[in-house]
């Protein structure tokens, strides 16, 4: 669906977004109008009944050949029945259409927003809270659905009421019609004034609920840390503070929105009294038909009284418009990393990786990589080592194109990564990270994640190579055991081995191991190392490591310092020298302890 300019009014943007549903929208509007037209008929029918009783053979029905009053009442009863049936039918139709439309738009806009968010670069997520995005994808979308479900119909029916009864008054009783019309400008102006004032307040409400959701999401993710530091009371106070801010933002909006109906009611009662008194005098003088006077009294009430509900409707409308702005602003957010156009099927990838004079700076301006150049031939195992902050993990982010280089080029098989389709690029690379993320689901589902058509036999084979099969079979339901959110039911080593099995099943031509053994015990590390040696055969393998013992057999080792390449070579050559690698190696082997302050 198309999005519109962020400077446009939210309602205009919403209408533009809903263009594919134009036919359904038009039908829903038509059913709302017809429902209200027939709903306004009873006052006219009551007036006709009064006119029949008062004028008998001289009533309006006598002109159509129904002379006897009883006959006239019978015809009126039939007309009333037809009117009520039609009103009920169109009420049913408008509710079905509006609600189905609301559900359809809610589903489509949520899926489109989520799909769009997934396409944004990693930096976008690092600058925003998960809870804030969840607030848009869930709360704001639901707020829009509630408005389309009931609020849109209410607005259309109020407008229909004003037009239909206003036209009837002007045609049937122009001498008193103005008395009903006079309050209308005040009501309309008041509504617009309230709308203008309420808009910013509801925007503040939506912002505040995003902050609250963000903190709740953050706390639930870090519940183990909160408990370990006995910080429960502190976090309750923090959530209470955010919740109070949300409550205060709502109070500000409530104070204004609640004043709408009482003030509008004062304008309404003025119009009603005017018709009651001046219309009554005209009826007493005989210049106004009694039946018509009855219709005017009832119609005035039907015209003006529903306007008191505008306060609630506008309240719902403003909440929906604030939510619409947030949703469509998200959809209008452009990805800063553009997809390439060159296809590179996984089966054609050789695995030659090259960094040519790569510079990279994060958004805060700090330069991380400074003219980095390195070459990893296809099929070789390369290790990238260095102190914390040297830029090792940034190299991996560049290779997966989570970020684009500030200058220089990263190449795969001679292709600049900017030119390749990102789907092809990431299909070609398997990542085993130190921060393993498992989804809430079964062991089998997590191993097959990304290779969704894998058979159980292929999953088991991958687990065996990763030396995970034995512990998986000891779990209560084996491969069908639920691992819990983020894999919390498993140990760190178990999660890591499932992550390796996932990479094995993917069978990528380029395998990246980012500190894959940094947080496991020696026995688990040895098991993981055996697995990695098996899967490194025949593919390009890039290992990021602090423990140099895990990379001593690499074909080449790159030593980074402060974003630049300082040394490269084999372990034997580097460890025999006096450079950075040799110093790190001796420290880790216990040959030389670092001096105080190092």
């Amino acid at each position: 669906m198309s999005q519109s300019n962020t400077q446009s009014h939210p309602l205009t943007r919403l209408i533009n977004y809903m263009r594919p549903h134009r036919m359904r929208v038009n039908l829903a509007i038509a059913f709302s109008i017809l429902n209200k037209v027939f709903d306004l008929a009873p006052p006219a029918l009551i007036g006709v009944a009064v006119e029949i009783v008062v004028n008998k053979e001289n009533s309006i029905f006598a002109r159509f050949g129904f002379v006897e009053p009883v006959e006239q009442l019978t015809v009126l009863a039939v007309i009333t029945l037809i009117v009520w049936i039609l009103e009920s039918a169109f009420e049913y139709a408008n509710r079905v259409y509006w609600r189905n439309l609301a559900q359809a738009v809610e589903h489509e806009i949520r899926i489109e927003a989520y799909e769009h968010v997934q396409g944004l670069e990693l930096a976008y997520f690092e600058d925003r809270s998960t809870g804030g995005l969840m607030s848009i994808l869930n709360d704001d979308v639901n707020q829009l659905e509630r408005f389309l479900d009931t609020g849109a119909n209410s607005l259309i029916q109020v407008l229909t009421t004003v037009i239909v009864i206003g036209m009837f008054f002007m045609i049937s009783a122009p001498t008193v019609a103005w008395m009903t019309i006079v309050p209308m400008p005040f009501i309309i102006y008041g509504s617009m004034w309230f709308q203008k004032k309420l808009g910013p307040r509801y925007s503040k409400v939506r912002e505040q609920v995003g902050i609250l959701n963000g903190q709740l999401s953050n706390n639930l993710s870090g519940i183990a840390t909160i408990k370990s530091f006995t910080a429960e009371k502190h976090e309750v106070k923090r959530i209470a503070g955010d919740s109070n801010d949300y409550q205060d933002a709502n109070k500000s909006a409530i104070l204004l929105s609640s004043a709408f109906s009482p003030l509008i009611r004062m304008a309404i009662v003025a119009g009603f009294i005017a018709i009651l008194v001046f219309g009554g005098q005209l009826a007493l003088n005989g210049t106004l038909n009694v039946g018509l006077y009855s219709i005017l009294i009832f119609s005035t009430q039907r015209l003006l009284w529903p306007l008191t509900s505008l306060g609630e409707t506008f309240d719902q409308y403003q909440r929906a418009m604030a939510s619409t702005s947030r949703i469509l602003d998200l959809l209008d957010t452009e990805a800063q990393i553009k997809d390439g156009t060159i296809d590179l099927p996984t089966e054609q990838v050789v695995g030659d990786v090259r960094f040519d004079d790569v510079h990279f700076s994060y958004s805060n301006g700090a330069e991380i990589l400074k003219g980095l150049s390195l070459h990893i031939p296809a099929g070789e195992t390369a290790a990238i080592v260095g102190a914390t902050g040297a830029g090792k993990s940034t190299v991996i982010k560049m290779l997966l194109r989570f970020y684009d280089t500030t200058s220089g080029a990263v190449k795969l098989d001679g292709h600049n990564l900017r030119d390749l389709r990102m789907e092809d690029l990431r299909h070609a690379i398997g990542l085993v990270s130190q921060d393993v993320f498992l989804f809430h689901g079964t062991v089998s589902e997590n191993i097959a994640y990304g290779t969704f058509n894998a058979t159980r036999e292929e999953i088991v084979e991958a687990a065996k190579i990763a030396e995970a099969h034995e512990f998986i079979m000891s779990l209560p339901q084996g491969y069908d055991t639920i691992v819990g959110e983020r894999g919390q039911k498993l140990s760190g080593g178990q999660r890591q081995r499932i992550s390796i099995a996932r990479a094995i099943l993917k069978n990528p031509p380029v395998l990246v191991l980012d500190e894959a053994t940094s947080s496991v015990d020696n026995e688990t590390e040895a098991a993981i190392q055996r697995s990695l040696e098996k899967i490194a055969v025949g593919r390009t393998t890039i290992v990021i490591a602090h423990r140099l013992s895990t990379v001593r057999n690499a074909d080449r080792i790159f030593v980074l310092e402060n974003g630049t390449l300082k040394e490269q070579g084999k372990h034997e050559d580097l460890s025999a020298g006096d450079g950075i690698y040799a110093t790190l190696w001796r420290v880790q082997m216990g040959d030389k302890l670092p001096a105080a302050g190092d």
Side-chain angles (χ1 to χ4, degrees), residues 21 70 163 195 207 227 253 279 289 335 345 347 359 390 416 422 491 501 510 558 561 579:
H21 294 288
V70 174
I163 293 172
Q195 178 183 340
E207 291 172 11
K227 287 181 176 295
N289 184 282
E347 59 272 13
H359 290 258
N416 191 320
M422 278 190 281
S491 70
V510 179
F558 299 99
E561 183 181 62

Side-chain angles (χ1 to χ4, degrees), residues 241-526:
D242 289 337
S243 185
N244 281 331
D245 291 340
Y246 174 54
Q247 187 179 32
D248 290 342
N250 262 307
K251 283 180 179 177
S252 175
I254 290 168
L255 283 173
L256 187 60
S257 65
S258 298
F260 180 84
S261 290
L263 292 175
I264 295 301
R265 190 175 283 115
M266 293 301 99
I268 289 170
V269 75
F272 186 77
I273 290 173
I275 288 291
L276 185 69
V277 174
F278 293 105
Q281 289 179 356
L282 292 176
L284 289 171
N285 294 335
T287 55
L288 184 65
N289 184 282
V290 174
L292 182 57
Y293 174 62
S294 300
I295 296 174
L296 292 177
I297 289 293
F298 285 111
S299 295
T300 300
Q301 188 268 342
R302 296 297 292 273
L303 170 64
L304 299 178
W305 195 253
L307 296 178
T308 60
S309 66
L310 274 179
E312 182 179 347
T313 303
F314 271 125
D315 183 85
Q316 194 177 46
Y317 169 79
Q318 282 299 343
R319 288 178 183 269
M321 291 305 99
S323 293
T324 297
S325 291
R326 280 161 53 89
I327 297 166
L328 296 183
D329 284 350
L330 178 60
L331 282 170
D332 286 337
T333 302
E334 293 187 9
Q336 298 304 306
I337 297 181
K338 304 299 183 182
D339 202 3
T341 57
I342 296 177
D343 294 325
L344 187 63
T346 304
E347 59 272 13
Q348 296 180 14
V349 176
V350 177
D352 185 87
V353 175
R354 187 181 294 274
F355 280 64
D356 286 340
D357 192 26
V358 171
H359 290 258
F360 174 72
S361 301
Y362 286 106
S363 57
N364 61 11
E367 190 173 31
I368 307 300
L369 300 182
K370 306 169 183 177
L372 178 64
S373 294
L374 56 85
H375 178 222
I376 304 171
E380 286 196 3
T381 296
I384 301 176
V385 302
T388 301
K392 303 185 299 296
S393 293
T394 303
V395 168
I396 302 307
K397 292 177 181 178
M398 294 287 102
L399 180 59
L400 283 161
R401 212 182 164 210
F402 289 157
Y403 296 88
D404 270 337
T405 61
T406 306
S407 64
V410 182
K411 296 178 180 179
L412 176 62
D413 291 353
H415 298 285
N416 191 320
L417 299 191
R418 292 175 182 264
D419 299 328
L420 295 175
R421 291 178 63 245
M422 278 190 281
E423 186 176 1
D424 287 347
L425 170 66
R426 291 170 186 168
H427 269 312
I429 301 173
L431 174 65
V432 179
S433 173
Q434 61 177 325
D435 183 19
V436 177
F437 189 96
L438 299 184
F439 294 89
H440 183 73
T442 66
V443 171
S444 176
E445 288 169 343
N446 273 282
I447 293 176
Y449 191 82
T451 314
F452 302 107
N453 59 350
T455 64
R456 176 56 68 93
E457 291 73 20
E458 291 170 333
I459 292 170
V460 171
E461 182 61 27
K464 287 179 178 178
I465 296 173
E467 298 199 20
H469 178 71
E470 186 175 339
F471 90 77
I472 292 173
M473 293 307 296
S474 69
L475 297 174
Q477 284 82 41
Y479 282 85
D480 295 319
T481 301
I482 300 294
V483 302
E485 191 172 4
R486 299 183 68 91
Q488 60 187 350
K489 294 183 179 181
L490 304 178
S491 70
Q494 290 172 333
R495 290 196 297 270
Q496 193 65 270
R497 277 185 269 184
I498 287 178
S499 175
I500 293 171
R502 180 192 290 169
I504 293 169
L505 189 61
K506 184 179 181 182
N507 193 27
V510 179
L511 179 66
V512 176
L513 308 169
D514 186 6
E515 301 284 4
T517 63
S518 64
S519 56
V520 296
D521 56 61
N522 291 335
E523 182 181 349
T524 302
E525 181 185 0

Side-chain angles (χ1 to χ4, degrees), residues 152-195:
N153 177 56
S154 297
L155 284 175
I156 290 167
Q157 293 206 338
V158 167
L159 183 61
T160 302
T161 300
V162 171
I163 293 172
V164 171
I165 294 182
M167 289 176 61
F168 173 76
F169 273 36
M170 295 301 295
I171 293 170
S172 62
T175 54
V176 293
W178 64 271
M179 299 176 188
T180 305
I181 303 301
V182 164
M184 298 301 295
F186 296 98
I187 294 171
I188 294 171
Y189 174 78
S191 300
M192 292 174 64
W193 185 87
F194 272 92
Q195 178 183 340

